């Protein structure tokens, strides 16, 4: 990877490039809501000249309340992300929590995100990197800021 940045689905991102945005609902909700959010965010990013990567998780394994939504699961969640990507021409990003989720997620998502609470899971990071997809590792709040 060069110091000048890289590309995600043909879109330039990184150092020396314009700001890019990774955004979307934390966890996948019903498909209609997700499509409306993706359409709005893509339009907003387009108006401001930003590269936009739609992010939502098919599963949130780190909920603070048992009543918090956890998402539709791997298969249904990835299908919704696939439709969003195709419908709006967007690259998508989703969290992966286990090595077994990496390959199916990489078939749909251009960016695989490692949640902060898993940022030190070497096997998960190696599996994500081996896909050739961009890997966004969220730094855990428990880690040294340096």
């Amino acid at each position: 990877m060069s110091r000048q940045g890289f590309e995600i689905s043909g879109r330039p991102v990184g150092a020396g490039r314009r700001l890019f945005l990774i955004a979307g609902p934390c966890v996948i909700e019903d498909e209609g809501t997700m499509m409306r959010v993706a359409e709005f965010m893509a339009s907003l990013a387009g108006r401001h000249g930003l590269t936009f990567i739609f992010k939502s998780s098919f599963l949130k394994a780190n909920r603070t309340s048992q009543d918090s939504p956890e998402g539709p699961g791997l298969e249904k969640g990835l299908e919704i992300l696939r439709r969003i990507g195709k419908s709006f021409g967007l690259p998508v990003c989703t969290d992966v929590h286990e090595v077994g989720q990496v390959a199916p997620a990489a078939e749909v998502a251009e960016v695989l995100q490692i949640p902060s609470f898993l940022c030190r899971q070497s096997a998960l990071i190696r599996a994500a990197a081996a896909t050739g997809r961009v890997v966004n590792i969220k730094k855990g709040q428990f880690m040294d800021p340096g």
Side-chain angles (χ1 to χ4, degrees):
M1 176 177 354
S2 80
R3 293 177 181 245
Q4 294 304 310
F6 54 98
E7 291 186 352
I8 297 175
S9 294
R11 296 162 171 88
V13 297
R17 308 293 176 92
R18 290 184 59 121
L19 180 68
F20 70 98
L21 178 65
I22 299 175
C26 178
V27 65
I28 294 173
E29 300 174 27
D30 66 275
E31 186 169 348
T33 298
M34 301 305 290
M35 296 297 270
R36 286 190 302 277
V37 170
E39 182 177 34
F40 175 79
M41 293 297 298
S43 173
L44 183 64
R47 284 197 308 267
H48 294 283
L50 301 173
T51 294
F52 173 55
I53 301 158
F54 184 84
K55 189 269 176 195
S56 197
S57 297
F58 56 84
L59 175 68
K60 292 305 277 188
N62 57 337
R63 308 317 280 168
T64 55
S65 168
Q66 67 180 8
D67 297 325
S68 295
E70 294 182 3
L74 183 69
E75 191 174 310
K76 184 175 181 183
L78 289 178
E79 185 53 39
I80 291 169
L81 289 174
R82 182 185 322 276
R83 285 191 206 113
I84 287 169
K86 286 185 178 186
S87 295
F88 303 105
L90 295 172
V92 297
C93 172
T94 194
D95 292 332
V96 290
H97 301 89
E98 301 171 0
V99 171
Q101 297 171 344
V102 171
E107 291 178 18
V108 174
E110 289 79 3
V111 180
L112 302 176
Q113 182 165 283
I114 308 297
S116 60
F117 74 100
L118 295 173
C119 69
R120 295 180 67 193
Q121 298 298 312
S122 301
L124 180 60
I125 294 168
R126 280 194 299 270
T131 67
R133 295 300 197 180
V134 171
V135 180
N136 185 37
I137 304 173
K138 293 179 71 177
K139 187 173 186 177
Q141 54 274 49
F142 50 83
M143 296 183 71
D144 184 296

